[in-house]
Amino acid sequence: MTASTLSAHHVGITVNDLEELLAFYRDVLGLTVVDRFAVGGDAFADAVGVEEGRAEFAHLEAGGIRIELVEYDPEARGSPAAGLNQPGATHVGLAVDDLEAFYADLPESVSTISEPRTTESGTSILFLRDPESNLIEVLES
């Protein structure tokens, strides 16, 4: 056990096309870009375990949570299972005041798993996919 206290810093999503995904998270979901940068060199490549790796990053503000989009060079091959019920599945959870209004304002090009639904716990949720099929849960707070 360490004497240091951990705190959340960001949620990361590795993407194939940073510019396309950045436009989606900024323009469709309304998140604010707070930082853009690139990292490379031996120390970075060693730290992430990607030989000769470098990456472009974009950080977005999502109501107190930072979402990090990262595009690696060289690009990885293969991907984890996309279903929510698969081990290793991931998603980003975002909250809105009015889920029905959020859903109604989504562009037709945005793929959703279903219309908004209220679960037996009383939470209204909606799952959608970004342009690279990463899952995003939007729930009513």
Side-chain angles (χ1 to χ4, degrees):
M1 183 103 153
T2 177
S4 298
T5 302
L6 294 175
S7 63
H9 183 269
H10 68 269
V11 173
I13 304 170
T14 300
V15 302
N16 289 314
D17 186 335
L18 181 61
E19 295 306 320
E20 179 183 29
L21 273 284
L22 181 59
F24 177 83
Y25 283 82
R26 181 191 60 223
D27 302 340
V28 175
L29 298 183
L31 303 183
T32 302
V33 178
V34 294
D35 202 3
R36 294 219 36 194
F37 56 95
V39 179
D42 292 340
F44 176 76
D46 289 346
V48 298
V50 177
E51 188 175 336
E52 297 182 25
R54 65 175 286 98
E56 301 283 332
F57 295 84
H59 283 192
L60 300 108
E61 173 63 31
I65 294 177
R66 186 174 284 208
I67 296 178
E68 176 184 84
L69 303 177
V70 56
E71 179 182 335
Y72 279 89
D73 179 23
E75 180 180 320
R77 302 291 178 245
S79 63
L84 277 168
N85 62 338
Q86 299 298 312
T90 60
H91 69 276
V92 172
L94 302 172
V96 295
D97 291 333
D98 186 338
L99 187 60
E100 290 292 338
F102 174 84
Y103 178 68
D105 289 343
L106 283 175
E108 288 187 26
S109 61
V110 174
S111 173
T112 63
I113 292 178
S114 72
E115 295 178 359
R117 299 285 187 240
T118 301
T119 66
E120 63 186 33
S121 69
T123 304
S124 294
I125 63 171
L126 165 71
F127 277 91
L128 58 93
R129 293 189 182 276
D130 71 17
E132 291 186 3
S133 295
N134 296 302
L135 284 164
I136 301 166
E137 177 184 11
V138 182
L139 56 99
E140 191 168 292
S141 59

